[in-house]
Amino acid sequence: MARSWWGWGNVEDAVSGAELESLLSRVRALTSGELTGHEPPDVGSLDLPAPRVSPPEALAALCSADPADRAAHAHGKAFRDVVRNLHGDLRHVPDLVARPRDETDLVDLLDWCTRDGIAVIPYGGGSSVVGGVEPRFEDRPAVTVDLAQLDGVLEVDPVSRAARVQAGVFGPRLEAGLRPHGLTLRHFPQSFEFSTLGGWLATRSGGHYATLYTHIDDMVESMRVVTPAGVAESRRLPGSGAGPAPDRLFLGSEGALGIITEAWMRVQERPRWRARASVRFADYTAAVAATRAVAQSGLHPANCRLLDAAEALINTGVAVEGGVLLLAFESAGHPVQASLDRALELCRDHGGEVREEPAGESTGDTWRSSFLRMPYQRDALARHAVIAETFETACTWDRFAELHAAVTDAARKAVRAVAGDGVVTCRFTHVYPDGPAPYFGVYAPGRWGGMVAQWDEIKAAVSEAIAASGGTITHHHAVGRDHRPWYDRQRPGPFAAALTAAKSALDPSGVLNPGVLIP
Amino acid sequence: MARSWWGWGNVEDAVSGAELESLLSRVRALTSGELTGHEPPDVGSLDLPAPRVSPPEALAALCSADPADRAAHAHGKAFRDVVRNLHGDLRHVPDLVARPRDETDLVDLLDWCTRDGIAVIPYGGGSSVVGGVEPRFEDRPAVTVDLAQLDGVLEVDPVSRAARVQAGVFGPRLEAGLRPHGLTLRHFPQSFEFSTLGGWLATRSGGHYATLYTHIDDMVESMRVVTPAGVAESRRLPGSGAGPAPDRLFLGSEGALGIITEAWMRVQERPRWRARASVRFADYTAAVAATRAVAQSGLHPANCRLLDAAEALINTGVAVEGGVLLLAFESAGHPVQASLDRALELCRDHGGEVREEPAGESTGDTWRSSFLRMPYQRDALARHAVIAETFETACTWDRFAELHAAVTDAARKAVRAVAGDGVVTCRFTHVYPDGPAPYFGVYAPGRWGGMVAQWDEIKAAVSEAIAASGGTITHHHAVGRDHRPWYDRQRPGPFAAALTAAKSALDPSGVLNPGVLIP
């Protein structure tokens, strides 16, 4: 398997053949684009600027100046990243890619960069969709620090159900390290195969499960973070009330305060009992009310994903006016059918039509297969000049109807303005007792050569609508460089001052991921 | 009802008559103390130093220089506070007690104190057991800011199940404001009647419920905090991944970073289904294993409190070698008997003898009645020269046996050294999948006039043992001034630097609760 330098995942897994034909025919039915295919440029043909720095002798073996390596680390994996790659538009590339073998290497790299005023971009799987790993600045050289060699599951404590894991481990390897113990982290973001524990922690990743433990934050027992001011290691504790929680400062710090090297993570027994169903609704308002009832029931479903009509049609093939709610329960310890039954009762109370479906053939299964292919399909669409991107937020239930209307309206207007026509979809990725996390998709015919500008215009419009409706600029995609204007308005002023001061204390030379979170 | 100036709660509720006789006879059976009663000094007889500051004209109406008022605000409600009060030993008293009527008053008070270099001690219910509200410094005058007038439940959002509540509201008034809506915060720390929402937030309070949502932290939707650098207000969100969580910096900040004025809190429907039982064990190790199995079961009991033999005997009257596990389940939405049955099955697997007990007559009920009387009884014992105090921690399951042995041993040795004999008890207040929060009690005959030094010696010994065993210096009692030496060692160095920098940004004059958390 070879990783794609320009797009998602493995080259061999790209959408092609019948899958591509089927995808394009579905898109043709929805929009008026021409759907001409374009080939990605050969990575060797990119004329990258020469590195502006060279590493000291002792670190030379860790550092790569290979153009393909630098190109592959220049962007994250947002639609606008993929499109820029497809156009060979790599304005900012790291001068070097460094691969520390251990924490000592990392400390040495950080010392060198701090001394020489070189920006350091911590890099896990590089799956950022918010410009989090892009050296989008011109005032100094940049070294991308790829942590992929720190990839061990170092210790498993089966008594406390916790594991000490290095930050550079990718999802599948992490789970493989836990499986022999009958344990799982049970954190499956869509990027799971191509993102790392350290990346999840630094960006407050959201997993696949819809309720209870959604963000990675709650699964952290302790963390170890290398900063220019020293190594911060918190004590392994199941809970504490000793001052503000130290780990919470580093969770979501996006590489701007330090580089996470390892963490003790809370793990779980692997689920043995499962029950699932889908519920169809004739009316979206009723579907939302049913979803809210389940979210507030205290039943804690593993899946509670409301797909609106367009999302249901595109990704599960189900045609239904008001949407489909995918429900699933899982447990390692006890049967869950009673919980599903109670949740379905709540759905019926709101007019839902329940389908209990056999494992392997359910609407949820169909949806999950789509889910894992989505980033690959997005790339195929980008190559055919189709704008295909998502954005997400969270808000309280009382504001949802208004937010949904305002955001959908803003998205449709912007799509019309930049692309003529298109489709806007919505699903809930996570639901809380006090509100949902709506996740929107946009599909529209793009103009080859103009798609970044087209998307940026749509993104600005929806971000304004989200902010005006009281949503967060990101529930689980992080802030990076793309969300900064809205993040800066969302964040309380005194907190920004505190965070800036904390950054100055930890990173006095300001080398860590400049432009992320803090000016 | 009149609040006691020197001890817990209401004067009228003090332990007396038959309750006092029964308490003293139980203590006589356990220790060799003389149990001579002592009267608290008359508050009017205390010869307090004159206030060193007087408020500006515009704030004069908010400020009290009344000696009784100042004396009542000088200490928290730890054993060592009560004992010092009983001896009239008020070395540090606030110069003034200020009572802002609203946030404008608070901002004005903070402006004045910042300008004149006067320390500001935020004060909720004053139930700190760690020296959190005591002006334990001599280099500047102090104004205690009592928030009791900010006591409104301002808004209830029944759709999102959230309520906007002022920081100065006491537990019962908060619940009274939610009850007409069928809602509850369901956060019942032992101090519930005499502590405030703002105090809970500032100290990361732990509630009565044993699993899932234990600390107040997880119930916060957004917060409003007045700092010398401006007002920080976070957006109401059910979840977010936009940078490090702003509220988490202020949760546990103990008045050192700002003064919390209000919060949107996540509330719940009032429980309707309940099931409970107690389980007796012949062996403590088996009891701990059973408790761990329940904590890791995903069943989320409302109560899961393991009392060791001494704790069970003293507070429930049950004599059993290995301890009693109190189990209870509650739900607003669905029956919970199946969950209890599964938990009891786990307990039987570990040799537990199950007692399903009728509501109102259960071991849990007996224990709960004791629970609410404990602080009053502690005061009665203090007046009879009995050392009676608690301390608590949390650790991972793999370390518990060692921590329990080391801490118990340290406590017993210290008790023997300072008091000759005594009793050390242990219960779990909260349990997590990765570890318990053990809570220890110490009862020993004291020496009238020497009990503070006696307790401080015991406390230092057990704190060292906790630190050496990898526990936290506090799971839910906060840091205050008493836990500083161990907190400073527990906190990662770079986090301390970041927190100190954050404090300098928010409170450049360093007036906010000096000595708490930060040097």
Side-chain angles (χ1 to χ4, degrees), chain A residues 9 85 158 164 172 206 237 239 255 262 270 314 349 352 393 400 417 423 463-464 474 486 504:
Chain A
N85 290 345
R164 183 159 75 94
L237 293 171
E262 57 178 69
R270 302 177 67 78
I314 294 173
D349 289 348
T393 183
F400 171 70
V423 178
S463 298
E464 288 299 324
T474 176
W486 299 279
S504 297

Side-chain angles (χ1 to χ4, degrees), chain B residues 121-144:
Chain B
I121 302 199
Y123 190 100
S127 66
S128 172
V129 291
V130 292
V133 295
E134 179 181 345
R136 202 184 297 166
F137 43 80
E138 274 151 30
D139 58 343
R140 66 194 109 176
V143 172
T144 290

Side-chain angles (χ1 to χ4, degrees), chain B residues 100-142:
Chain B
R101 296 156 305 180
D102 53 30
E103 207 176 276
T104 307
D105 283 349
L106 180 61
V107 169
D108 292 345
L109 284 164
L110 210 48
D111 281 350
W112 163 50
C113 291
T114 298
R115 205 172 50 236
D116 287 9
I118 301 164
V120 173
I121 302 199
Y123 190 100
S127 66
S128 172
V129 291
V130 292
V133 295
E134 179 181 345
R136 202 184 297 166
F137 43 80
E138 274 151 30
D139 58 343
R140 66 194 109 176

Side-chain angles (χ1 to χ4, degrees), chain A residues 10 21 23 128 194 211 253 258 269 307 337 361 418 437 457:
Chain A
N10 294 317
E21 282 318 306
L23 175 68
S128 172
F194 302 105
T211 68
S253 61
E269 269 193 290
L307 316 181
Q337 186 63 43
E361 301 165 38
V418 303
E457 199 172 322

Side-chain angles (χ1 to χ4, degrees), chain B residues 79 385 387 414 418-420 445-459:
Chain B
F79 172 75
I387 297 167
V418 303
R447 197 175 63 255
W448 188 252
M451 289 198 292
V452 170
Q454 287 178 305
W455 171 250
D456 285 352
E457 198 171 324
I458 298 168
K459 175 74 179 177

Side-chain angles (χ1 to χ4, degrees), chain B residues 209-234:
Chain B
Y209 295 97
T211 68
L212 206 54
Y213 302 117
T214 56
H215 283 101
I216 194 85
D217 311 33
D218 293 322
M219 305 171 199
V220 176
E221 197 175 74
S222 77
M223 272 164 69
R224 193 172 160 90
V225 187
V226 173
T227 82
V231 176
E233 180 165 17
S234 54

